[in-house]
Amino acid sequence: MTLAISAQDIDDKALIEELKRWVEIETPTSNAEAVNRLVDRVETLGREAGLDTERLPGTLGFGDILAVRSPRPAGSNEKTVLILAHLDTVHAVGVINNQLPLRQDGDKLYGPGIYDMKSGALMALEAMKLAVRKGSKMPIDLIFVPDEEMGSLSSRAFMETAAKNAGYTLVVEPARDGGKVVVARKGVAMYDITVQGRAAHAGARPQDGRSAIRSAARLVLELEALNDTGRGVTVTVGTIQGGTGRNTVPAECRLQVDVRVPSDQVAEEITGRIEAMKPVDPDITFEIAGKMNRPPFAQSEEGKRLFEAAAKIASDLGIALEGMATGGGSDGNFTAALGVPTLDGLGADGAGPHTFNEHIFLSSVAPRTALLANLMISLEAK
């Protein structure tokens, strides 16, 4: 296979300098103003490259959504290559000046959000510019969302609308485990459970009380018993808060629960069991709020062929590409669930996502940007 773009065609020095600029603009999901400062920069770069841009004002307290599109005739309804990226991170403003400064150590470049996923987002934009310049077989839509780290609540509908006209979806979440791409992800459900009991004086009238914490403790064991390693089911009670003081029978206790499931069938079973849970004590009540946040992303036959096409390009670039399934969710879950062949984890290689050890391997940037560009160029409408 003759590649249109080689790793040597990537100006990785300029790319890394631009990446540093992106990392220096800290973008925690909950700070819409901060996220929009980076949206401003990305929009400018897209326009300077001669690409079409569409910016949607943020909703639900999140930043703006930005779509960058390859030029095409007005009213065109050709199938597209859809690229998904997010500009928000889990790190608070100020982290770059304290726990996670922007710094280089050999092949490693550290910084908040650099791995998850500002490097992948910038690589996608650079690859798109190259693909458009060389002439891609399909139109390309690159969507930058502001809220992936909090479930894509404000951007899901926009992505799903774009996916209805997509022939393929490429997601530039970071590479995993030494450069692997993601071919499947578990579905994610989130629950907030409130246990209501009855307060009483712990010394004078304990018999009048109904301990919400005691009932919550039973509920935690019931929830955790749903874990099933063999079937790929994980149920985690991540936080528990309750009570008002050591000498008061607690009237309320609150749980936050994370659920990961491998398929729609298992999702229906496990969420059904959680939502049907009842307290043993008739004087205790459960309020169970939540649902599936991201549907399972199973690898389809077309998804396998998409991976094979990427692996062939990667091989020609000197990359031995491997696919893997992961328990973490991404926006790729949404497109895969709609039947669009989806390939994820196409961003930079590195480690430490969501930690103060977050970094990328600089040597991965140019070859994986070339992989993205060649994939965008080569994909054809079915």
Side-chain angles (χ1 to χ4, degrees):
M1 177 179 185
T2 302
L3 297 176
I5 303 291
S6 71
Q8 289 69 40
D9 293 323
I10 309 299
D11 187 349
D12 54 347
K13 183 177 181 181
L15 199 59
I16 295 303
E17 286 307 307
E18 181 62 30
L19 176 59
K20 290 177 180 178
R21 181 170 181 173
W22 286 31
V23 173
E24 287 169 346
I25 305 172
E26 294 178 284
T27 55
T29 314
S30 58
N31 190 327
E33 183 180 351
V35 173
N36 282 345
R37 284 195 288 272
L38 183 52
V39 177
D40 291 341
R41 177 62 183 165
V42 180
E43 184 177 27
T44 297
L45 291 174
R47 288 179 174 173
E48 288 178 348
L51 303 171
D52 297 331
T53 62
E54 178 187 6
R55 184 164 175 169
L56 283 71
T59 60
L60 304 178
F62 297 111
D64 296 349
I65 299 168
L66 179 67
V68 180
R69 299 188 173 95
S70 60
R72 68 202 67 168
S76 171
N77 61 355
E78 290 183 75
K79 286 289 185 180
T80 65
V81 178
L82 176 63
I83 319 296
L84 298 181
H86 67 84
L87 298 177
D88 60 313
T89 77
V90 301
H91 297 286
V93 170
V95 165
I96 198 168
N97 296 319
N98 295 285
Q99 302 98 323
L100 186 51
L102 182 60
R103 70 190 191 281
Q104 183 176 346
D105 181 8
D107 192 39
K108 297 177 181 179
L109 185 64
Y110 293 80
I114 196 167
Y115 179 53
D116 186 13
M117 60 175 288
K118 288 183 177 178
S119 52
L122 177 57
M123 289 161 59
L125 181 60
E126 182 65 20
M128 180 180 179
K129 288 159 55 178
L130 292 167
V132 170
R133 194 177 307 151
K134 289 289 185 178
S136 60
K137 294 181 174 69
M138 298 174 68
I140 302 169
D141 287 343
L142 171 53
I143 296 177
F144 297 93
V145 304
D147 58 347
E148 192 275 342
E149 295 292 2
M150 292 179 67
S152 303
L153 299 176
S154 74
S155 56
R156 176 177 179 174
F158 185 80
M159 288 186 285
E160 289 182 331
T161 297
K164 291 175 182 176
N165 196 47
Y168 307 90
T169 299
L170 308 178
V171 187
V172 287
E173 289 283 353
R176 303 298 177 91
D177 298 352
K180 294 178 183 176
V181 294
V182 176
V183 298
R185 291 181 180 271
K186 291 181 182 179
V188 183
M190 298 179 184
Y191 287 97
D192 293 301
I193 302 177
T194 302
V195 180
Q196 296 285 356
R198 183 191 303 155
H201 193 291
R205 301 289 299 180
Q207 68 274 18
D208 294 342
R210 298 293 184 270
S211 173
I213 289 179
R214 181 172 59 195
S215 291
R218 292 195 187 101
L219 179 59
V220 169
L221 295 177
E222 191 175 353
L223 288 163
E224 296 276 353
L226 294 175
N227 280 286
D228 188 334
T229 303
R231 291 202 300 161
V233 175
T234 61
V235 179
T236 304
V237 179
T239 70
I240 182 166
Q241 298 174 312
T244 56
R246 74 174 67 241
N247 62 349
T248 302
V249 176
E252 184 176 280
C253 189
R254 296 170 300 283
L255 316 177
Q256 290 184 316
V257 184
D258 178 277
V259 181
R260 309 283 167 141
V261 286
S263 68
D264 290 331
Q265 181 179 0
V266 176
E268 184 176 356
E269 174 200 339
I270 298 299
T271 58
R273 290 173 67 176
I274 291 173
E275 291 165 18
M277 288 180 174
K278 304 292 183 185
V280 174
D281 188 330
D283 293 329
I284 296 285
T285 61
F286 292 167
E287 296 176 9
I288 303 175
K291 59 181 180 179
M292 290 297 299
N293 170 263
R294 297 182 190 276
F297 163 8
Q299 187 182 33
S300 65
E301 287 302 316
E302 289 185 334
K304 289 179 183 177
R305 287 192 286 273
L306 176 58
F307 167 74
E308 289 165 0
K312 179 63 173 69
I313 293 170
S315 177
D316 291 340
L317 288 165
I319 303 170
L321 201 65
E322 293 184 51
M324 64 171 288
T326 180
S330 85
D331 290 334
N333 289 60
F334 302 136
T335 59
L338 292 172
V340 182
T342 299
L343 188 60
D344 203 338
L346 287 161
D349 192 10
H354 296 199
T355 74
F356 296 142
N357 187 46
E358 185 168 350
H359 62 273
I360 62 168
F361 300 126
L362 292 168
S363 57
S364 73
V365 172
R368 294 182 76 91
T369 302
L371 169 59
L372 274 169
N374 285 293
L375 195 52
M376 291 180 198
I377 291 167
S378 64
L379 290 174
E380 299 184 65
K382 300 181 291 291

